[in-house]
Amino acid sequence: MRIAAGLAWLALLVSGAAQAADDASIFKDADLALGQKLIQEHRCAECHARKFGGDGSAVYRPLERVKTAGTLRGMVEQCNTELNLGMFPDEVSAVAAVLNKQHYKFK
């Protein structure tokens, strides 16, 4: 019985965290200036141009691929991990917040 109660509590906690990550409130304290600086410093546009062609903006299409603010942040974290950029969580959020403001516009 205690295990079932613990699992129910864990499921509720995870579901609440997932719902919280679905809206752009996860970016409310993000430092947009820092995010823009990091995008330039890590040469994100150049990498995206190599991977997707053109100016790299094709990474943002189709927009349906990234449907939530949490997914957007996860995509930035994936780049951070894959490329070993060494960004801290608040820096990942700052980059994602800039991308949200410029391209995705999650509310």
Side-chain angles (χ1 to χ4, degrees), residues 2-89:
R2 292 174 81 185
I3 293 174
L7 289 175
W9 180 84
L10 181 60
L12 182 63
L13 180 67
V14 169
S15 121
Q19 287 176 348
D22 283 348
D23 66 44
S25 67
I26 64 172
F27 303 135
K28 83 176 174 79
D29 294 326
D31 183 339
L32 294 175
L34 174 63
Q36 191 61 51
K37 176 182 169 250
L38 290 166
I39 288 170
Q40 292 170 347
E41 182 180 300
H42 291 299
R43 306 165 102 183
C44 299
E46 291 176 34
C47 182
H48 291 170
R50 283 191 307 274
K51 285 187 172 194
F52 297 94
D55 65 359
S57 64
V59 71
Y60 306 114
R61 293 183 297 271
L63 291 176
E64 296 83 32
R65 188 172 85 181
V66 176
K67 295 181 180 183
T68 67
T71 302
L72 172 58
R73 191 190 179 289
M75 294 296 288
V76 175
E77 183 60 55
Q78 180 180 340
C79 287
N80 182 42
T81 302
E82 184 179 308
L83 301 171
N84 197 27
L85 299 177
M87 290 193 292
F88 291 104

Side-chain angles (χ1 to χ4, degrees), residues 84-97:
N84 197 27
L85 299 177
M87 290 193 292
F88 291 104
D90 61 318
E91 293 173 322
V92 170
S93 291
V95 169

